Amino acid sequence: MRILLVEDDAATAAYVKRGLAEAGHVVDHAADGQEGLFLATGGGHDVLVVDRMLPKLDGLSLVRALRAAGVMAPALFLTARAGVGDRVEGLDAGGDDYLAKPFAFAELVARINALGRRPAFQAEPTVLRLANLEMDLVRRTVTRAGQRIALQPREWRLLEFLLRRKGDVVTRTMLLEGVWDFHFDPQTSVVETHVSRLRAKLDKGFDRPLIHTVRGAGYVVRDDG
């Protein structure tokens, strides 16, 4: 893995860098927080190892700035501040792990390897799309071919649930649990009624339907055009 080590103590940095290199990793080193921020925003690092007490920019501020910039490489705080409150601060700042000094090098390597095995972070989409339909989760708008569609809150939840599973058959039970928070069957036509209303709003003025009924199974959103 390619690791960024942000550590201002020269002896500790040399020790860690040499050990990680012997373990087969490529290590970039920054001696202060500002340099660490510059190197980390360049991307390409699999794991960040960050001291908390750094000159120019402390470790907490460094990781917060990286998260705000969209840099989601896992970060391990390596520091002499080992209190519970310190660990909580580190995790709340966007850190993924916390190792107190003095530390066993074998444990450091094991923790870095564990962080490196985590699946890559994927940001949640802010716009859901199907054919010419767009659902903007931030602006809370739905449009089809540029035409605004007004939805009631439950219709919004229903459409979002379906679009997040586009191409997959969604059963009535899944909708009751995911949209209405029912963990029982109310023995009503609430699902069918809302799907019918949503379908009418989405398809009004268009030839191609987007919500399809799968007989005996449920519903699926897809573009058959």
Side-chain angles (χ1 to χ4, degrees):
M1 289 185 292
R2 186 179 174 197
I3 299 168
L4 174 61
L5 172 64
V6 189
E7 170 63 65
D8 64 317
D9 183 79
T12 301
Y15 170 68
V16 173
K17 186 173 182 179
R18 182 174 63 251
L20 292 177
E22 290 174 353
H25 302 298
V26 175
V27 183
D28 296 321
H29 173 236
D32 61 65
Q34 285 187 2
E35 184 185 6
L37 180 63
F38 174 76
L39 292 177
T41 51
H45 294 101
D46 300 295
V47 176
L48 313 175
V49 179
V50 182
D51 186 15
R52 273 195 57 164
M53 303 300 292
L54 293 167
K56 298 185 180 180
L57 184 68
D58 67 88
L60 292 182
S61 299
L62 166 60
V63 172
R64 286 195 189 102
L66 290 174
R67 298 307 185 231
V71 178
M72 295 301 171
L76 182 151
F77 281 110
L78 189 63
T79 175
R81 301 183 60 171
V84 173
D86 297 316
R87 295 197 298 271
V88 171
E89 276 188 331
L91 296 174
D92 285 345
D96 299 272
D97 202 353
Y98 205 103
L99 184 59
K101 298 176 181 177
F103 56 90
F105 190 79
E107 182 179 4
L108 173 62
V109 173
R111 287 174 180 260
I112 288 174
N113 288 339
L115 290 175
R117 288 193 296 268
R118 289 187 181 181
F121 175 85
Q122 293 184 338
E124 281 288 309
T126 59
V127 179
L128 304 178
R129 295 182 175 87
L130 176 68
N132 56 0
L133 178 73
E134 287 194 0
M135 184 178 204
D136 192 314
L137 303 177
V138 176
R139 294 185 175 88
R140 304 291 292 182
T141 59
V142 175
T143 59
R144 185 167 182 186
Q147 298 179 26
R148 188 79 169 261
I149 301 172
L151 299 181
Q152 295 298 317
R154 192 70 66 178
E155 294 167 346
W156 175 279
R157 289 186 63 181
L158 176 59
L159 179 60
E160 181 181 357
F161 192 90
L162 291 169
L163 286 177
R164 288 186 181 277
R165 295 157 182 82
K166 62 183 177 182
D168 297 333
V169 175
V170 176
T171 67
R172 186 174 184 274
T173 299
M174 291 169 64
L175 290 173
L176 286 171
E177 291 185 353
V179 179
W180 280 269
D181 297 319
F182 288 163
H183 296 278
F184 62 93
D185 191 337
Q187 300 298 317
T188 68
S189 60
V190 62
V191 172
E192 292 78 7
T193 299
H194 278 78
V195 169
S196 178
R197 290 175 182 171
L198 180 60
R199 182 182 274 146
K201 289 186 176 184
L202 297 183
D203 293 342
K204 185 177 180 179
F206 296 95
D207 295 331
R208 289 206 312 260
L210 298 179
I211 302 177
H212 304 268
T213 301
V214 180
R215 192 177 300 276
Y219 304 93
V220 60
V221 291
R222 64 171 184 260
D223 178 23
D224 286 344

